[in-house]
Amino acid sequence: MTHSPLTREEKARRTQEAALAAFVSRKAEIDEMLARLQALSEDHFWRSPDEVNWADVGTLGHIAERLREITAFAFGEDA
C-alpha cells in the first residue's frame, strides 16, 4: 500500500496545527509560572515583617529586574 504525497495545503495545515499545539503548551507553562509567582507574592515571598532583611530586598530587586525585562520584551518596549 503506497501513500500519496501530501499536498502543499495539507503540509501547511499540519505545520499550523503543530505550531498551535506547541503555542498552547508554552502558554500553559507560562501560566503555571505566573500562578506560582502570584502565590509567592501573596505569601510575601515567605517572609514575615520581622524576618525581612537587605538580602530579601536584593532578591526582590533581582526578581523585579528580570520581570521588567520580560515585560518590556512582551510589549515591545525598550528595557
Side-chain angles (χ1 to χ4, degrees):
M1 177 175 174
T2 61
H3 295 284
S4 60
L6 296 176
T7 65
R8 179 174 288 174
E9 292 80 16
E10 180 63 17
K11 286 180 186 178
R13 185 186 64 76
R14 288 184 182 187
T15 296
Q16 195 280 329
E17 287 174 354
L20 177 59
F23 179 89
V24 169
S25 176
R26 291 284 170 92
K27 183 189 173 310
E29 183 181 9
I30 290 169
D31 289 346
E32 175 63 25
M33 287 186 276
L34 291 172
R36 290 180 68 207
L37 282 170
Q38 183 64 44
L40 183 62
S41 178
E42 288 172 3
D43 195 26
H44 302 282
F45 293 86
W46 299 324
R47 291 290 184 257
S48 65
D50 59 331
E51 294 177 311
V52 172
N53 60 50
W54 286 108
D56 298 319
V57 176
T59 297
L60 291 186
H62 181 76
I63 292 169
E65 181 59 30
R66 299 294 81 76
L67 289 173
R68 264 192 297 282
E69 290 173 7
I70 292 166
T71 302
F73 176 81
F75 289 98
E77 303 165 343
D78 291 331

